[in-house]
Amino acid sequence: MAINLSNLSKPTGQRPIIVTLFGEGGMGKTTLAAMFPKPVFIRTEDGTASLQGNEGVSLFPLATSSKDVLDQIEALATQDHDFKTLVIDSITQLATIIESEIVAEDPKAKSINQAGGGYGAGYSTAADRHRIIRDWAGALAYEKGMNIVFIGHADTETMDLPDMDAYTRYSVRMHKKSVPHYTDNVDAVCMIRLKTFTRGDGDKKRAISNGEREIICFPQAASVTKNRFNLDKPLTFTFDGGNPFDNFVAK
């Protein structure tokens, strides 16, 4: 096919963004996601108690299977609505659901490690199902102009690289084969954490916090975080301070 250079385009202003938010429980991930424009939640776990009374949020029925999730995404793709943001809460519980389905489909398997004949086949199958869900959700961004927010729980993993000493970093709690679908081709991967300080000396050091939260979304060795917005410092996050990403999201 011939390429016509007259069809080249220039970068435009605001467009839908795709973001992965992760952190420990109680950090405000769901609350932050609800601050995005006109959000609708696909729930694989019932973590929306903090949203009670928020009339600007809509909730799908609790999804108990990966098919439920795909059906709800399809409804957004094929029916008329004015939602501006899709939130999937959470991809960590979605991973648990998908792995349980894979084990149930294999009469010889008692765990995901044995599914598909073992040797990581079960995790590869799970990663492929995450890819499909990620692709379907991503299509809403390009075809419906919706922002996409994936919510995950935090975990740590050990990085054992050939050219440096092993170290630990924060990541999304799911198998490493599935994580890239929510961290590679997205606009930001952000970790919400408490601002923490240490006091004392030597063995008497202890961590303290005043309850303030911050969002880390720039590259660092300690986490899988990143962004495409040229952010290089932590963002302050308070429950009544508005959405720190307001300048970037489609409205």
Side-chain angles (χ1 to χ4, degrees), residues 61-161:
L62 195 66
T64 59
S65 68
S66 58
K67 183 180 183 302
D68 286 345
V69 174
L70 289 171
D71 286 346
Q72 292 171 4
I73 294 174
E74 183 179 22
L76 292 170
T78 58
Q79 298 178 31
D80 292 334
H81 60 81
D82 64 350
F83 298 120
K84 293 297 184 181
T85 303
L86 166 64
V87 181
I88 298 184
D89 186 5
S90 70
I91 55 174
T92 298
Q93 178 60 22
L94 175 59
T96 299
I97 290 172
I98 287 174
E99 290 176 12
S100 296
E101 291 173 346
I102 292 170
V103 173
E105 292 164 6
D106 187 342
K108 297 181 179 179
K110 294 183 179 179
S111 69
I112 189 66
N113 292 311
Q114 299 173 339
Y119 301 100
Y123 289 114
S124 295
T125 301
D128 192 55
R129 296 189 185 183
H130 281 286
R131 176 189 60 77
I132 293 170
I133 289 172
R134 165 64 181 83
D135 288 349
W136 281 36
L140 292 177
Y142 301 110
E143 297 175 9
K144 289 284 190 175
M146 297 182 69
N147 304 294
I148 309 299
V149 180
F150 300 111
I151 295 179
H153 299 292
D155 202 356
T156 58
E157 63 178 356
T158 299
M159 300 296 294
D160 192 2
L161 304 177

